[in-house]
Amino acid sequence: GKLTQVARLGRQRARIGYLLIAAFAFLSLTLAVAFHLLPPAALLALLALLPAALAARHLWRHAEQPEQLAPAIKFTILAAHLYGLLLAAGLMLNKGLTP
């Protein structure tokens, strides 16, 4: 009975949406560093790309089998938390490196 974004979009479009959101997160970080809006140490957050890619791969393969999506959900949660933690660590690391 839930009307989630996945239910509204459909499974095939939702998996493309996942890829676009993840790509935007990592691309925006990279561009922010390239344009000197964030310090290079912020790129530490790119390590979260691994669990995000694993989630995307699992989602892509099992989009039509919701009962098999638990690993994708876990990898997504890991990627989101890791991204924030690593970004914060990179910013703190940079703060310690500059006078």
Side-chain angles (χ1 to χ4, degrees), residues 36-60:
H36 306 288
L37 300 172
L38 287 174
L43 291 175
L44 189 61
L46 290 179
L47 291 173
L49 185 58
L50 178 61
L54 291 171
R57 184 180 73 173
H58 199 84
L59 177 62
W60 200 261

Side-chain angles (χ1 to χ4, degrees), residues 18 21-23 25-26 29 44-57 70-88:
Y18 180 88
I21 290 168
F26 293 106
L29 172 65
L44 189 61
L46 290 179
L47 291 173
L49 185 58
L50 178 61
L54 291 171
R57 184 180 73 173
I73 293 167
K74 290 176 183 176
F75 281 129
T76 298
I77 292 168
L78 176 62
H81 284 88
L82 203 54
Y83 186 93
L85 288 170
L86 290 172
L87 180 58

Side-chain angles (χ1 to χ4, degrees), residues 7-31:
R8 291 175 192 207
L9 292 172
R11 292 181 183 129
Q12 297 305 318
R13 282 191 279 175
R15 72 181 186 175
I16 292 169
Y18 180 88
L19 290 175
L20 290 175
I21 290 168
F24 179 76
F26 293 106
L27 182 62
S28 63
L29 172 65
T30 305
L31 289 174

